């Protein structure tokens, strides 16, 4: 193959790459994906269930969050799975529910189809605004916890 043909082929490939990049930028500009952060006490449908973050309390030992899970037509195998807490820009790990808590830990608690459960989550303490999220079935909702 001659040098001229190689240069021409390289130019055509470069133009194809530029065109594909331009199309991708237009598609990204049209995307309107936004995350809605709910207030504590609000309910949201997530993966076929209705989830409510009822209350929260921060102590020196833990950030406790009371949640209600209303399973839809599909049972929930473990009410404690799918939860995360972001506080001060860091994901906080789960910890044991404080001794003497009025509610049981969500971890390992199944929920039958069309049933509900109110339980407690506990995360490591931290500083800053706390946002708890729940993910299930490819969907996610987030709640800002009261200070």
């Amino acid at each position: 193959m001659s040098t001229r043909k190689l240069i021409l082929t390289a130019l055509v490939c470069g133009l194809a790459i530029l065109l594909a990049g331009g199309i991708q930028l237009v598609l990204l500009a049209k995307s309107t994906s936004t995350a809605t952060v709910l207030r504590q006490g609000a309910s949201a449908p997530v993966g076929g269930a209705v989830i409510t973050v009822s209350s929260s309390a921060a102590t020196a030992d833990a950030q406790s969050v009371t949640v209600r899970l209303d399973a839809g037509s599909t049972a929930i195998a473990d009410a404690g799975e799918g939860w995360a807490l972001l506080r001060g820009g860091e994901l906080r790990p789960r910890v044991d529910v404080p001794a003497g808590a009025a509610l049981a830990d969500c971890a390992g608690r199944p929920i039958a189809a069309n049933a509900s459960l109110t339980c407690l989550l506990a995360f490591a303490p931290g500083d800053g605004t706390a946002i708890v999220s729940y993910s299930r079935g490819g969907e996610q909702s987030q709640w800002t916890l009261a200070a």
Side-chain angles (χ1 to χ4, degrees):
M1 193 178 258
S2 70
T3 304
R4 287 183 185 168
K5 289 182 181 177
L6 288 174
I7 291 172
L8 184 59
T9 303
L11 286 173
V12 169
C13 288
L15 288 174
I17 291 170
L18 283 173
L19 180 63
I23 291 170
Q24 183 63 27
L25 284 174
V26 169
L27 292 174
L28 287 174
K30 290 182 179 180
S31 175
T32 58
S33 177
T34 59
T36 301
V37 180
L38 304 168
R39 290 180 181 235
Q40 183 174 294
S43 298
V46 181
V50 176
I51 310 301
T52 306
V53 173
S54 305
S55 63
S56 65
T59 66
D61 298 326
Q63 171 73 55
S64 299
V65 182
T66 303
V67 298
R68 178 181 170 93
L69 297 93
D70 294 306
S73 58
T74 305
I76 298 174
D78 184 349
E81 285 186 14
W83 292 96
L85 180 83
L86 180 68
R87 184 155 202 161
E90 295 180 3
L91 282 175
R92 307 307 299 165
R94 293 279 297 273
V95 297
D96 292 333
V97 169
L103 293 170
D105 192 339
C106 294
R109 309 260 328 259
I111 306 172
N114 300 312
S116 64
L117 173 70
T118 300
C119 55
L120 193 64
L121 302 164
F123 298 91
D127 295 322
T129 302
I131 297 174
V132 67
S133 70
Y134 180 69
S135 301
R136 181 172 186 250
E139 297 178 10
Q140 181 183 44
S141 283
Q142 303 172 17
W143 293 262
T144 300
L145 301 180

